[in-house]
Amino acid sequence: MAAPVTLPFAVSERSTVGIEWEVALVDADSGDLRQAAQAIFAAVQPADGSDHPHITSELLLNTVEVSSGKCRTVGEAGADLQRALDEVAAAARPLRIELMGAGTHPFANWAHQRVTDKQRYATLIDRTQWWGRQMLIYGVHVHVGVEDRDKVLPLSRAMLTVFPHIQSLSASSPFWGGKDTGYASNRALLFQQLPTAGLPPQFERWEQLEQYVGDMMHTGVIDQVNEVRWDIRPSPRFGTLEMRIADGAASLLEVTAISAFTHCLVEHFSSMIDAGEPLPTMPPWFVQENKWRSARYGMDAIVITDGAGDEELVTDSVSRWLVELAPVAERLGCAAELDQVRTILRRGASYQRQRAVARRNAGELEPVVRALVAELAAGRPL
């Protein structure tokens, strides 16, 4: 057995929140992806030559990530995202580039995409080959501050019981390479093909995580801890639990709604720990099944809700959670954003709206891209 790697967990204030949102650069005329991230970064770079604090590169040159700072509320984080998005849009406009949010691009060809010139990305592609080159996907990551390292793994296990709720609400990747995959979130199943991606092990003790990282480094699977790409992962550097479940969102309303839902769930489970109440858990085989069901059926998924194997329509379960989390949202200052989850329930998730546009246009997918571009610009589902 390899030596464990010590993972100090940064001091963080409880239930602070940070959001990362990956958006696509699309051609204003054709709707196809543009490999123009470097031109965008050059345009938004601060005058002192430093990196932009809220606009960063990702694996592919068709992608820009906008991120918030460490915030007290989801609304504050959303305002950070909007400011960064406005900067990117202003830099993109003269290039005839528009911004699009979704888990995948409806018709772009993965083989035509170029990789950002960074060593860690080159290493990833060299190792993962065909699957790595197919990572033409976009996500939303939500960091929630955890004040005590001993809470992190119990919170992670509890969040796995509500994993499908977040994945279903955010599902926005029904199309791949010009075809309807039949899945609400094709991104969810694509991303887990990478080594160390997918659902996390349900570790009981921090030492098990440190042993895992030590073993992975010793055997050359990873070089650093952030190459562990689980759907839910501790982020020792920030002192957070990072939820990487959600597909890329079509609008700021959806980003903040899903982030508020996530934020409230973590705080709810954290309060249960404080009160000495047992947190919900679920056997790994139920968690795995829930991930597949929500990826396949989205808002129509019948999800397993507890370790006993009880089941419920995911939208009914979400509605019940919204009632339970209402006092938590008041406490966290995100009641308005949490209430926007009802907009998603009413209007449909992005994958449903995308399919509706395709149906109205005899299966053509360029109108789907135009609709996604319009939603991002409007900041809400249309």
Side-chain angles (χ1 to χ4, degrees):
M1 188 179 284
V5 168
T6 302
L7 297 174
F9 191 74
V11 176
S12 182
E13 296 165 83
R14 173 173 175 154
S15 289
T16 45
V17 64
I19 307 170
E20 301 161 356
W21 180 15
E22 296 164 357
V23 296
L25 305 173
V26 301
D27 188 85
D29 301 303
S30 70
D32 205 347
L33 288 169
R34 288 274 296 273
Q35 319 295 305
Q38 302 295 23
I40 301 291
F41 298 135
V44 302
Q45 188 175 41
D48 64 4
S50 61
D51 291 335
H52 196 293
H54 300 299
I55 302 171
T56 50
S57 63
E58 262 300 325
L59 172 65
L60 298 174
L61 288 175
N62 62 52
T63 308
V64 171
E65 180 181 276
V66 293
S67 59
S68 75
K70 175 182 172 182
C71 298
R72 305 295 320 172
T73 67
V74 166
E76 190 185 321
D80 276 0
L81 293 176
Q82 186 63 62
R83 279 191 293 273
L85 209 57
D86 289 346
E87 279 192 68
V88 173
R93 210 168 289 120
L95 305 173
R96 292 202 57 72
I97 290 172
E98 292 174 315
L99 308 183
M100 184 202 87
T104 54
H105 186 283
F107 62 80
N109 186 329
W110 61 268
H112 297 166
Q113 310 311 313
R114 286 166 48 213
V115 176
T116 300
D117 186 17
K118 283 190 178 175
Q119 185 55 50
R120 69 189 182 104
Y121 294 142
T123 301
L124 172 69
I125 296 296
D126 181 60
R127 182 156 190 261
T128 58
Q129 291 294 306
W130 192 78
W131 279 115
R133 286 194 293 271
Q134 293 223 54
M135 292 297 129
L136 182 50
I137 53 177
Y138 310 88
V140 171
H141 302 164
V142 183
H143 288 262
V144 179
V146 181
E147 78 281 13
D148 180 354
R149 192 190 76 176
D150 289 344
K151 282 186 167 184
V152 175
L153 295 176
L155 289 172
S156 176
R157 294 195 301 273
M159 287 301 292
L160 286 173
T161 67
V162 289
F163 183 105
H165 304 62
I166 297 168
Q167 188 169 276
S168 292
L169 285 167
S170 70
S172 61
S173 49
F175 300 110
W176 178 255
K179 300 225 169 15
D180 191 326
T181 64
Y183 282 77
S185 174
N186 192 48
R187 167 193 166 272
L189 303 186
L190 265 173
F191 189 55
Q192 69 183 19
Q193 302 307 318
L194 292 183
T196 76
L199 293 165
Q202 297 196 33
F203 292 137
E204 298 277 344
R205 302 186 323 281
W206 193 257
E207 294 75 25
Q208 291 173 296
L209 174 63
E210 292 179 323
Q211 184 63 61
Y212 169 90
V213 173
D215 288 346
M216 294 296 103
M217 285 186 171
H218 176 73
T219 52
V221 179
I222 62 173
D223 294 319
Q224 49 195 19
V225 67
N226 68 1
E227 291 172 13
V228 175
R229 298 181 173 90
W230 296 329
D231 299 322
I232 301 175
R233 70 179 183 186
S235 186
R237 183 163 65 102
F238 295 120
T240 63
L241 185 62
E242 181 186 3
M243 268 62 61
R244 301 155 53 83
I245 302 162
D247 270 8
S251 67
L252 186 66
L253 180 145
E254 288 161 285
V255 171
T256 53
I258 289 158
S259 298
F261 187 56
T262 303
H263 194 199
C264 289
L265 285 165
V266 175
E267 171 61 24
H268 170 73
F269 293 136
S270 189
S271 298
M272 288 179 68
I273 295 175
D274 294 344
E277 298 171 23
L279 294 188
T281 58
M282 201 176 278
W285 46 93
F286 283 173
V287 174
Q288 188 70 54
E289 174 64 15
N290 270 346
K291 179 175 182 178
W292 186 86
R293 289 186 188 186
S294 63
R296 169 66 178 89
Y297 300 109
M299 303 280 263
D300 294 319
I302 306 290
V303 298
I304 303 162
T305 54
D306 55 34
D310 295 320
E311 296 172 292
E312 187 174 24
L313 180 66
V314 71
T315 48
D316 291 343
S317 191
V318 166
S319 295
R320 286 195 304 104
W321 269 114
L322 292 178
V323 174
E324 183 154 2
L325 294 174
V328 182
E330 290 290 344
R331 197 160 74 242
L332 294 177
C334 65
E337 289 83 7
L338 183 68
D339 196 55
Q340 299 284 21
V341 171
R342 299 183 197 280
T343 301
I344 303 174
L345 294 175
R346 189 171 64 251
R347 299 295 305 276
S350 176
Y351 79 92
Q352 293 171 307
R353 303 195 306 273
Q354 289 179 51
R355 282 188 174 135
V357 172
R359 279 196 303 274
R360 290 197 297 272
N361 289 276
E364 290 294 317
L365 297 183
E366 280 181 40
V368 176
V369 174
R370 286 199 295 274
L372 286 166
V373 165
E375 287 197 348
L376 193 141
R380 59 184 173 81
L382 295 173

